[in-house]
Amino acid sequence: MKFKLENTEENLDGEILQSLSNNEFVLKIKGKELNLKILSMTHEKIEFMLDSTYHIAKYLENNTSRITLVADGVKLTFNKHPDLDKIVYKNSGSESAMDSQINLKSQIPGRVVSINVAVGDKIKQGDVVCVLESMKMQVSIKSHKDGAVKSIKIKQGASVAKNDVLAEIE
Amino acid sequence: MKFKLENTEENLDGEILQSLSNNEFVLKIKGKELNLKILSMTHEKIEFMLDSTYHIAKYLENNTSRITLVADGVKLTFNKHPDLDKIVYKNSGSESAMDSQINLKSQIPGRVVSINVAVGDKIKQGDVVCVLESMKMQVSIKSHKDGAVKSIKIKQGASVAKNDVLAEIE
Amino acid sequence: MIKKILIANRGEIAIRVIKTCNALGIKSVAVYSDEDVNSKHVKMATESYHIGAASPSQSYLNMEKIVETAINSGADAIHPGYGFLSENADFADLCEKKKLNFIGPSGKSMRLCGDKMLCKAAMSKAQVPTVPGSPGIVEEVEKALDIANKIGYPVLLKSVFGGGGRGIRLVHNEKELRQAFELASGESKAAFGKSALFVEKFLPKIRHIEFQLARDKHGNAVHIFERECSIQRRHQKLIEMSPSPVVDQKTRDEIGQLAVNAAIAVDYENAGTAEFLRLDDGTFYFIEINARLQVEHPVTELVSGLDLVKLQIDIANGEPIPFKQKDLKVNGCAIECRINAEDTFLDFAPSTGKITDVDIPSGPGVRVDTYLYPGSSVSPYYDSLMAKLITWGQNFEESRQRMVLALSDFYIEGVETAIPLYKTILETQEFIKGDLSTDFLDRFKILDRLRDDLKNEASKKADVALAATLIHSEFLKNKITPRKEHSMRWKTQLDRH
Amino acid sequence: MIKKILIANRGEIAIRVIKTCNALGIKSVAVYSDEDVNSKHVKMATESYHIGAASPSQSYLNMEKIVETAINSGADAIHPGYGFLSENADFADLCEKKKLNFIGPSGKSMRLCGDKMLCKAAMSKAQVPTVPGSPGIVEEVEKALDIANKIGYPVLLKSVFGGGGRGIRLVHNEKELRQAFELASGESKAAFGKSALFVEKFLPKIRHIEFQLARDKHGNAVHIFERECSIQRRHQKLIEMSPSPVVDQKTRDEIGQLAVNAAIAVDYENAGTAEFLRLDDGTFYFIEINARLQVEHPVTELVSGLDLVKLQIDIANGEPIPFKQKDLKVNGCAIECRINAEDTFLDFAPSTGKITDVDIPSGPGVRVDTYLYPGSSVSPYYDSLMAKLITWGQNFEESRQRMVLALSDFYIEGVETAIPLYKTILETQEFIKGDLSTDFLDRFKILDRLRDDLKNEASKKADVALAATLIHSEFLKNKITPRKEHSMRWKTQLDRH
């Protein structure tokens, strides 16, 4: 199987060569053979020895296209279809996935302190769209792209959750 | 409901006077009214405020006659039928439940180092029946009563688990 | 003698105070908002009372309610922690009025500490040097020019209506000052109806160094060494340590004495902190007194062996400080990292939510003050400090090594933290050499280094993660059944796969 | 320079050594038996290797296998921990032969420490006082009488074939000694074919006080203060502390120097311990050298600030001890309680099994060295020490208060422990006054007091337990449904029942 490590953009391949028993396997990772022995395993977590070293991994997300896990305390995300991804990306015809989105989302929860744009305004990437307050701090939310403000989804004084759409920029 | 606290032989009574909501109750314990508010509850564990103080209890055992729990780190056992218990005890006609048992059980796991009695031997309470070794320590297992050795259930060098019967004393 | 203390706070500092209460046999009373029903301080206190809604103004800042709770619960003293009401002079006065022993300075002293202009005047009288500049508001440009000439360019022209970097102008000569004064004055008049400008010397590269103070009701005053707190983001401390790499015993004695003089100048009582700025040439300028127990007090505890909360309680009880300045010696070195719930790459924006898992480090020389437990929550209503990781070592290097290890062992799931940032900082040569300043993060492009470190770390763990991923795929296809737990029965032979 | 250490041990001490390896950037190699597949030391080490079956003789005592594993894994040194092979001179020799740096004294020195008669002779030469008595075996009764007259009655007549209290006779005068000698001699000849008796002064009420030693390859030797280890059961230590309540600085200097002389007398290298008995009149008698890191080394670490495992590694690397005797000062007071898996009321019989739950205490001045985690196991194959709880305070009283608190916070589910016993001991006036002796438990009828304390504690918690029981009954009848966890969504208003 081929994977792309999103943290580093590295392409990796790995496979299970042999199952020695229900708990021991021979793997091939980046061309190198490794012995893996499962110590404990559930849906959420696996503890294992890889050659002679202990590791623990927690699975945070596993869907058809991506898997996110925490390996020995380090969070990593694999893209399961690195080739497919490339095709989709090419066909989208845009420079980056970010730019193609019209939704400006909040990456933090907070209370809306001020709204600094109006519908129809032409704005540039980095312009402040609104200011949120959370944990005693005021955080400016900036536009992720150049464009025009199509709609504003928030009101002053209202609370927003993480990932809520704040505005649409076209 | 009436309970006997086995740790202290105290008799206690308590009841739920009123259910204010699914999570709040008024209890009467030893004649005193107390407010109880459940913070979290599962089969194994309860966290609650009793009047204004937080408590946590873990249920270790709960059967028809006894409940054992750990309240704020302290292990307690309640007998649920203190009256019934008294009747059974009276009818058994013996001085204590211990004495009436013929089985000498091991209260520790270990390996049998030596057997110090033979079948038919007359022994007294406190006589050494056998010696077990566990965690580098030798522990003498003594007879729990006066009597004759009816049978020996272990062999030298064998391993025994906690609560295994070592011998029968009649 | 204090027998029962209400702690008018939450989070790790409430827990910290409860621990000392427990050790001293003093009963503790916790208060909590709707948001904190399941918080650890509520569970640990002798008694706990609900005081209002999640919003601080309705709970932890509600003076009347807190004082009422203290009285009703039979508490005889109030510990304010830090933040919330801890530096509120009215609250200190209210406690005094209600015969509750407020564990901190008097309202009067607190007011003096809180007013920058009054405080500066008091310091000037006590010959404690403050940042050179105008002693108050400057109405006319000629006066501003006089001051600038006296203290030397460049200078900062500031507006008292500003704050957080707004309304500040850096000027390098007379011409620039004239222009800036006119502009700023105009702006200020337009916005606020009047101009209120002052001049202060521009300090290009500074360290933040503070001294722990204690002063009892009998006038005995000591300093308990310095803390270097120069690693900051947005003027908030991230990493603190004691001793400072640039403070030798002579400097400690000298500036420590200034700090003590500052405490005397404002008739300060109980534990507090005198903050200073230090220039590269070794000049120290007093900036303010923090009239409370400081977040970073544990580093002082670890190098002095003192329990500062106990010291606070003893002083509040009217006892004399049980040691003299000469009895105090810095023992080893302690470092603290503030583990905030925030996203380093989102400009340190808050990150809140449920803590689904947490591993707290331990070991020789490691101390963690925290309210976290698996299943606990980080609330958006309160500040982002979840934990303080403090390590002690015989010297800076041992303390640093232990910190690096402890950071690696600290796992928090559910929110973003600055733990990776701290690992990067602690391993830089600049930090190791002690080349610290308040602009450390910018000056050494730490965030770029962090990005590299994170990539390297991910790259190193790629094999392990890939192995886990391959096995998980098999597991999901039901091709592997997890094996049972090892039986611990004495007689059972273990299988040997 | 040592780069990779194999730790020939398990449990808390293996973890302790790994922590220092990690701090120093040294790679660690763990070894494990079948029983320890899921043990914490296996999980923490850089590499871990299986070495055999559960029985120690087939794993942790298997010298050849351990040395082979060290060589195959590329380790350049071996740390033996305590117990197992730590005082096995043959193992030290084998390591030397295989060019593995054994972190401990030489085999030769270890042999001298291990042979009581040889060691006694060496001490006599070095003028280190040992318990008065015959210098070796006494063949004739007249010789025994001479010695008894010299050292004074009462004396103990002991057989070298005895042990654990067997074959020991207490005699008060010449007549008793004659009778006893005849009886014992006859018994011994009947049982072993020959008589081998010796005479030793009877010491009625003794303290066990030991000194931490360190000596490097350059002949530099220091003592790192004493530890008082008088609270024991069956000659095994339960509670240790430093400093001892009966050792002042003068005594420390004096007996410490004797301890150093003892180390020199046996050409001891690395960290070790000289054990002494102390009589009520202040007389100290050397009894033996423990040629290894001691279980109770953390109390010395907390009052000295040293990392003794680091010191061991430095010495093994050939480095000189980096401080002089005069640089060392006792800082505060540390107490350790050994948390064994054993049943106090079953004569301290072992208690083994799965640890279904564990809460480990923390806080200022609290250190816990342990292999426990929820789901871990206490094996009957190995010794019963699960955890060491150590507290530090500025003085004895602060350390004691912190210990009492920490003991209350320590919860271990699945096996019996002596935690309640320690709570009782720590709260007795006798312990507080420092009236310690090896027969402390019997002398003050501690087990009876423990029974009372346990009843009182149960009685105090009866209301809480009863409340929980009432609710549980309702819950089991499905009359209560557990409420859902609080939602932490920003927008969600908390319900207010």
Side-chain angles (χ1 to χ4, degrees):
Chain A
M1 294 172 84
K2 282 180 190 293
F3 297 90
K4 191 168 88 180
L5 179 59
E6 295 200 350
N7 309 54
T8 62
E9 305 282 304
E10 263 176 284
N11 280 302
L12 299 165
D13 61 312
E15 59 182 312
I16 297 177
L17 288 185
Q18 203 186 342
S19 170
L20 300 176
S21 76
N22 203 22
N23 292 316
E24 281 195 63
F25 302 86
V26 181
L27 307 182
K28 194 172 179 181
I29 287 175
K30 294 195 275 182
K32 209 178 127 200
E33 280 189 26
L34 297 167
N35 277 290
L36 184 146
K37 183 180 168 186
I38 298 171
L39 296 176
S40 80
M41 182 166 54
T42 64
H43 247 87
E44 293 81 34
K45 205 167 78 174
I46 179 171
E47 292 184 279
F48 60 99
M49 303 291 294
L50 197 61
D51 285 347
S52 56
T53 303
Y54 168 88
H55 300 285
I56 180 167
K58 285 192 71 172
Y59 305 105
L60 298 184
E61 185 198 7
N62 194 351
N63 58 37
T64 48
S65 62
R66 299 165 89 224
I67 178 164
T68 297
L69 70 173
V70 178
D72 299 332
V74 179
K75 197 166 162 181
L76 299 102
T77 300
F78 288 115
N79 191 314
K80 289 179 177 177
H81 310 287
D83 302 333
L84 190 65
D85 184 52
K86 224 174 280 171
I87 297 159
V88 173
Y89 165 71
K90 274 184 183 163
N91 290 349
S92 76
S94 68
E95 294 259 310
S96 83
M98 250 308 233
D99 267 14
S100 68
Q101 290 173 0
I102 68 162
N103 289 334
L104 174 66
K105 290 181 180 176
S106 174
Q107 295 185 278
I108 58 163
R111 199 175 52 79
V112 180
V113 175
S114 67
I115 300 171
N116 305 39
V117 296
V119 173
D121 281 5
K122 292 227 149 102
I123 59 174
K124 292 201 167 166
Q125 188 183 333
D127 282 357
V128 175
V129 174
C130 63
V131 176
L132 300 183
E133 186 177 273
S134 182
M135 286 178 157
K136 302 192 303 184
M137 275 190 286
Q138 298 205 348
V139 180
S140 298
I141 307 295
K142 294 163 187 168
S143 178
H144 58 298
K145 57 185 282 198
D146 296 357
V149 179
K150 193 188 164 197
S151 71
I152 293 170
K153 305 286 190 183
I154 49 171
K155 284 184 182 165
Q156 193 169 334
S159 296
V160 295
K162 193 174 170 178
N163 288 325
D164 276 3
V165 175
L166 304 173
E168 291 174 307
I169 318 287
E170 251 180 354
Chain B
M1 292 172 83
K2 281 179 192 291
F3 297 91
K4 191 168 87 180
L5 179 59
E6 295 200 350
N7 309 54
T8 62
E9 306 281 306
E10 263 177 282
N11 282 301
L12 300 164
D13 62 312
E15 60 182 312
I16 297 176
L17 287 184
Q18 202 186 341
S19 169
L20 301 177
S21 77
N22 203 22
N23 292 315
E24 282 196 64
F25 301 86
V26 181
L27 308 183
K28 192 171 181 184
I29 288 176
K30 293 195 276 184
K32 208 176 127 198
E33 279 188 27
L34 298 167
N35 277 290
L36 184 145
K37 182 178 170 189
I38 298 172
L39 296 177
S40 81
M41 182 166 54
T42 64
H43 247 87
E44 294 80 35
K45 206 168 79 176
I46 180 171
E47 292 185 280
F48 60 100
M49 303 291 295
L50 195 62
D51 283 347
S52 55
T53 302
Y54 168 87
H55 300 284
I56 180 167
K58 284 191 72 172
Y59 305 105
L60 299 185
E61 186 199 5
N62 194 353
N63 58 38
T64 48
S65 62
R66 299 164 89 221
I67 179 165
T68 299
L69 71 172
V70 178
D72 299 332
V74 178
K75 196 167 164 181
L76 300 101
T77 299
F78 288 114
N79 191 314
K80 289 179 175 178
H81 309 286
D83 303 331
L84 190 65
D85 184 52
K86 223 175 281 170
I87 297 161
V88 173
Y89 167 71
K90 273 185 185 162
N91 290 349
S92 74
S94 68
E95 292 259 312
S96 84
M98 252 307 231
D99 266 15
S100 69
Q101 288 171 2
I102 68 162
N103 289 334
L104 173 66
K105 290 181 181 177
S106 174
Q107 293 184 281
I108 59 164
R111 197 176 55 78
V112 180
V113 175
S114 67
I115 300 171
N116 305 39
V117 296
V119 172
D121 281 5
K122 293 225 146 97
I123 58 174
K124 292 198 167 164
Q125 188 184 335
D127 282 356
V128 175
V129 174
C130 63
V131 176
L132 300 183
E133 186 176 274
S134 182
M135 286 177 159
K136 303 193 303 185
M137 275 192 283
Q138 298 205 347
V139 180
S140 297
I141 308 296
K142 293 163 188 170
S143 178
H144 58 298
K145 57 185 283 199
D146 297 355
V149 179
K150 193 189 166 198
S151 71
I152 293 170
K153 304 286 190 186
I154 49 171
K155 282 183 185 166
Q156 192 167 334
S159 296
V160 296
K162 192 173 170 177
N163 288 326
D164 276 2
V165 176
L166 305 172
E168 292 176 306
I169 318 286
E170 252 183 354
Chain C
M1 289 293 286
I2 292 169
K3 291 195 170 64
K4 194 170 188 175
I5 297 175
L6 181 138
I7 300 143
N9 217 302
R10 64 180 298 282
E12 68 84 20
I13 193 61
I15 293 167
R16 168 71 193 85
V17 176
I18 291 171
K19 288 206 175 193
T20 289
C21 287
N22 287 345
L24 300 177
I26 293 171
K27 287 189 176 136
S28 55
V29 178
V31 293
Y32 61 98
S33 73
D34 285 344
E35 190 81 349
D36 279 332
V37 174
N38 279 303
S39 291
K40 201 169 173 184
H41 74 286
V42 176
K43 299 182 177 186
M44 287 179 63
T46 320
E47 296 165 27
S48 302
Y49 298 92
H50 178 253
I51 51 164
S55 168
S57 62
Q58 290 176 69
S59 46
Y60 301 108
L61 291 175
N62 186 339
M63 293 193 248
E64 296 292 342
K65 181 70 183 171
I66 288 171
V67 164
E68 181 197 315
T69 305
I71 291 166
N72 289 345
S73 68
D76 45 18
I78 291 191
H79 194 295
Y82 52 71
F84 293 127
L85 297 169
S86 63
E87 292 181 281
N88 186 316
D90 294 340
F91 184 61
D93 287 347
L94 180 64
C95 289
E96 199 189 339
K97 195 176 135 199
K98 299 286 185 179
K99 309 267 183 247
L100 290 164
N101 195 335
F102 179 81
I103 300 172
S106 69
K108 195 179 159 205
S109 174
M110 232 184 244
R111 274 189 194 89
L112 204 44
C113 295
D115 186 310
K116 287 204 175 194
M117 291 300 165
L118 284 180
C119 187
K120 203 163 183 170
M123 292 309 146
S124 161
K125 212 169 147 191
Q127 294 187 297
V128 176
T130 53
V131 180
S134 53
I137 287 158
V138 185
E139 311 260 348
E140 286 163 27
V141 69
E142 297 304 330
K143 181 86 180 125
L145 287 169
D146 277 1
I147 292 162
N149 278 327
K150 208 161 63 191
I151 63 179
Y153 288 95
V155 299
L156 294 173
L157 186 66
K158 295 183 175 180
S159 164
V160 294
F161 303 121
R166 283 176 298 155
I168 297 183
R169 285 179 167 81
L170 173 64
V171 295
H172 295 86
N173 50 48
E174 188 177 321
K175 194 179 155 202
E176 282 183 19
L177 182 52
R178 281 188 189 279
Q179 290 174 342
F181 197 91
E182 206 162 319
L183 271 170
S185 193
E187 271 177 24
S188 191
K189 276 176 190 150
F192 306 102
K194 60 175 177 171
S195 164
L197 302 175
F198 62 100
V199 175
E200 222 172 61
K201 189 164 176 64
F202 171 69
L203 307 172
K205 186 179 147 231
I206 48 175
R207 287 171 184 259
H208 178 113
I209 296 176
E210 60 187 29
F211 279 75
Q212 176 66 47
L213 298 169
R215 189 156 170 268
D216 64 27
K217 291 181 197 289
H218 312 279
N220 303 306
V222 294
H223 73 86
I224 311 170
F225 329 132
E226 78 282 4
R227 291 184 289 258
E228 160 105 40
C229 314
S230 299
I231 307 280
Q232 304 185 344
R233 56 116 177 106
R234 294 202 209 148
H235 307 292
Q236 288 199 295
K237 299 163 190 164
L238 292 177
I239 300 177
E240 300 100 347
M241 67 177 95
S242 183
S244 161
V246 293
V247 174
D248 56 18
Q249 190 56 44
K250 187 171 158 286
T251 309
R252 182 171 301 124
D253 292 343
E254 194 183 304
I255 310 302
Q257 186 56 51
L258 285 183
V260 167
N261 293 348
I264 296 167
V266 295
D267 196 16
Y268 194 87
E269 190 182 292
N270 216 305
T273 294
E275 296 195 325
F276 292 83
L277 297 180
R278 178 192 179 274
L279 309 192
D280 268 354
D281 67 4
T283 311
F284 279 77
Y285 292 122
F286 170 91
I287 45 175
E288 62 175 324
I289 286 187
N290 290 134
R292 54 172 158 84
L293 188 67
Q294 205 86 327
V295 173
E296 57 270 25
H297 75 275
V299 297
T300 299
E301 293 191 323
L302 290 186
V303 295
S304 70
L306 293 167
D307 177 339
L308 291 178
V309 176
K310 180 176 185 297
L311 184 62
Q312 286 190 299
I313 294 170
D314 287 346
I315 291 174
N317 265 327
E319 288 174 27
I321 293 171
F323 47 81
K324 304 277 172 217
Q325 189 67 58
K326 67 175 169 47
D327 302 330
L328 299 174
K329 287 276 169 301
V330 182
N331 178 32
C333 173
I335 304 174
E336 172 179 285
C337 288
R338 296 191 187 194
I339 312 297
N340 298 321
E342 56 190 28
D343 190 335
T344 308
F345 293 115
L346 277 179
D347 200 18
F348 298 97
S351 173
T352 63
K354 186 116 185 158
I355 302 300
T356 47
D357 198 5
V358 58
D359 285 332
I360 292 170
S362 65
V366 176
R367 168 174 161 184
V368 183
D369 287 14
T370 183
Y371 67 81
L372 296 178
Y373 62 88
S376 58
S377 294
V378 177
S379 165
Y381 286 102
Y382 313 114
D383 86 35
S384 62
L385 185 72
M386 298 181 289
K388 302 187 306 205
L389 174 59
I390 316 109
T391 56
W392 179 91
Q394 274 208 296
N395 47 49
F396 169 75
E397 187 52 20
E398 189 174 66
S399 183
R400 192 190 68 84
Q401 285 170 343
R402 286 174 171 176
M403 180 59 82
V404 171
L405 257 187
L407 286 165
S408 296
D409 288 348
F410 211 152
Y411 177 63
I412 299 176
E413 192 178 283
V415 297
E416 298 295 326
T417 77
I419 291 173
L421 173 68
Y422 295 142
K423 283 200 271 186
T424 290
I425 294 173
L426 272 274
E427 294 281 31
T428 60
Q429 278 310 309
E430 292 83 359
F431 184 82
I432 292 170
K433 280 186 301 182
D435 184 3
L436 311 179
S437 60
T438 53
D439 61 351
F440 185 88
L441 296 194
D442 288 338
R443 190 154 62 100
F444 298 118
K445 302 199 179 4
I446 298 298
L447 261 56
D448 293 342
R449 299 199 203 177
L450 170 59
R451 275 185 201 94
D452 291 345
D453 287 352
L454 287 175
K455 276 190 188 169
N456 286 334
E457 195 178 51
S459 202
K460 269 188 203 156
K461 284 292 170 197
D463 292 9
V464 173
L466 194 50
T469 300
L470 292 170
I471 296 296
H472 199 52
S473 303
E474 291 295 288
F475 176 70
L476 292 178
K477 291 180 219 151
N478 287 314
K479 286 193 180 164
I480 307 173
T481 44
R483 81 157 157 195
K484 291 188 194 88
E485 295 275 353
H486 284 293
S487 165
M488 270 305 295
R489 285 238 15 197
W490 174 259
K491 286 171 176 173
T492 312
Q493 270 297 326
L494 289 169
D495 55 353
R496 288 185 225 172
H497 295 290
Chain D
M1 289 294 285
I2 292 169
K3 291 199 168 64
K4 193 171 188 174
I5 297 175
L6 180 140
I7 300 143
N9 218 303
R10 64 180 298 284
E12 67 85 19
I13 191 63
I15 293 166
R16 168 72 193 84
V17 176
I18 291 171
K19 289 208 173 191
T20 289
C21 287
N22 287 346
L24 300 177
I26 293 171
K27 288 191 174 130
S28 55
V29 178
V31 292
Y32 60 98
S33 72
D34 285 344
E35 190 82 351
D36 279 332
V37 174
N38 279 303
S39 291
K40 201 169 173 183
H41 74 286
V42 176
K43 300 182 177 184
M44 287 179 63
T46 319
E47 297 165 28
S48 303
Y49 297 93
H50 177 253
I51 51 163
S55 168
S57 63
Q58 290 175 67
S59 48
Y60 300 107
L61 291 174
N62 187 340
M63 294 194 245
E64 296 293 341
K65 181 72 183 171
I66 287 171
V67 164
E68 182 197 313
T69 305
I71 292 167
N72 290 345
S73 69
D76 46 18
I78 291 191
H79 194 296
Y82 53 71
F84 294 129
L85 296 169
S86 63
E87 291 181 281
N88 187 315
D90 294 341
F91 184 61
D93 287 346
L94 180 64
C95 288
E96 200 188 338
K97 196 177 135 198
K98 299 284 186 181
K99 309 266 184 253
L100 290 164
N101 195 337
F102 178 82
I103 300 172
S106 68
K108 195 180 158 202
S109 175
M110 231 184 241
R111 274 189 195 89
L112 204 45
C113 294
D115 184 309
K116 288 206 172 194
M117 291 300 162
L118 284 179
C119 187
K120 203 162 184 170
M123 292 309 146
S124 162
K125 214 169 145 189
Q127 296 187 297
V128 176
T130 53
V131 179
S134 51
I137 287 158
V138 184
E139 309 260 347
E140 285 164 28
V141 68
E142 296 306 325
K143 181 83 180 128
L145 289 169
D146 277 1
I147 292 162
N149 278 328
K150 208 161 68 192
I151 63 179
Y153 288 95
V155 299
L156 295 172
L157 186 66
K158 293 182 175 182
S159 165
V160 293
F161 302 122
R166 281 176 302 157
I168 296 183
R169 284 178 167 83
L170 173 64
V171 297
H172 295 87
N173 52 45
E174 186 175 324
K175 193 181 156 200
E176 282 183 18
L177 181 53
R178 279 185 191 280
Q179 289 174 341
F181 197 91
E182 205 164 323
L183 271 170
S185 192
E187 271 178 23
S188 190
K189 275 175 191 153
F192 305 101
K194 60 176 177 173
S195 163
L197 302 174
F198 62 100
V199 175
E200 223 173 63
K201 188 163 176 65
F202 171 70
L203 306 172
K205 187 179 147 227
I206 48 177
R207 287 170 183 261
H208 178 114
I209 295 176
E210 60 188 28
F211 279 75
Q212 177 67 47
L213 297 169
R215 189 157 171 267
D216 64 27
K217 290 180 199 290
H218 311 279
N220 303 307
V222 294
H223 72 86
I224 310 168
F225 329 133
E226 77 283 2
R227 291 184 288 258
E228 162 105 41
C229 314
S230 299
I231 306 280
Q232 306 185 341
R233 56 113 176 112
R234 294 201 208 148
H235 308 291
Q236 288 200 295
K237 297 161 191 164
L238 292 177
I239 301 177
E240 299 100 347
M241 67 177 94
S242 185
S244 160
V246 293
V247 174
D248 55 19
Q249 190 57 43
K250 186 169 160 289
T251 309
R252 183 170 301 124
D253 292 342
E254 193 182 306
I255 311 301
Q257 186 56 50
L258 284 182
V260 166
N261 293 348
I264 296 168
V266 295
D267 195 17
Y268 194 88
E269 193 184 291
N270 217 304
T273 294
E275 296 195 325
F276 291 83
L277 297 180
R278 180 193 178 273
L279 310 191
D280 268 354
D281 67 4
T283 311
F284 278 79
Y285 293 124
F286 170 90
I287 45 174
E288 63 175 323
I289 287 187
N290 290 134
R292 54 170 161 83
L293 189 68
Q294 206 85 325
V295 173
E296 57 270 27
H297 75 275
V299 298
T300 299
E301 293 191 325
L302 291 185
V303 296
S304 69
L306 293 166
D307 177 339
L308 291 179
V309 175
K310 180 177 186 297
L311 184 62
Q312 285 191 300
I313 294 169
D314 287 346
I315 291 174
N317 266 325
E319 288 174 27
I321 293 171
F323 47 82
K324 305 277 172 220
Q325 189 67 58
K326 66 173 169 47
D327 301 330
L328 298 174
K329 287 276 170 303
V330 183
N331 178 31
C333 172
I335 305 174
E336 171 179 287
C337 289
R338 297 191 186 193
I339 312 296
N340 298 321
E342 56 189 27
D343 189 334
T344 308
F345 292 115
L346 277 178
D347 199 18
F348 299 98
S351 173
T352 64
K354 185 115 186 159
I355 302 301
T356 47
D357 198 5
V358 58
D359 285 334
I360 293 171
S362 65
V366 176
R367 167 174 163 186
V368 183
D369 286 15
T370 184
Y371 67 81
L372 295 178
Y373 62 89
S376 59
S377 293
V378 177
S379 164
Y381 286 103
Y382 313 115
D383 86 35
S384 62
L385 185 72
M386 298 181 290
K388 301 186 306 204
L389 174 59
I390 315 110
T391 56
W392 179 91
Q394 275 209 296
N395 47 48
F396 169 76
E397 187 52 21
E398 189 174 65
S399 183
R400 191 189 69 83
Q401 285 169 342
R402 287 174 170 177
M403 180 59 82
V404 170
L405 257 187
L407 285 166
S408 297
D409 287 346
F410 211 152
Y411 176 63
I412 300 176
E413 192 178 282
V415 296
E416 298 294 326
T417 78
I419 291 172
L421 173 68
Y422 295 142
K423 284 201 270 186
T424 291
I425 293 173
L426 270 277
E427 295 281 31
T428 60
Q429 277 311 308
E430 292 84 357
F431 184 82
I432 293 169
K433 280 186 299 183
D435 184 4
L436 311 178
S437 58
T438 54
D439 61 350
F440 186 88
L441 295 194
D442 287 338
R443 191 154 63 97
F444 298 118
K445 302 202 182 356
I446 297 298
L447 261 60
D448 293 342
R449 300 200 201 177
L450 171 58
R451 275 186 201 94
D452 291 345
D453 285 352
L454 287 175
K455 276 190 188 169
N456 286 336
E457 196 179 49
S459 202
K460 269 187 202 157
K461 284 293 169 196
D463 291 8
V464 172
L466 194 51
T469 298
L470 292 170
I471 296 295
H472 199 52
S473 302
E474 291 297 287
F475 176 69
L476 291 178
K477 289 181 220 150
N478 288 314
K479 286 192 179 165
I480 308 173
T481 44
R483 80 156 157 195
K484 290 189 194 85
E485 294 277 353
H486 284 296
S487 166
M488 272 302 295
R489 285 240 14 203
W490 173 257
K491 288 172 173 172
T492 312
Q493 269 297 326
L494 290 169
D495 54 354
R496 288 185 224 173
H497 295 288

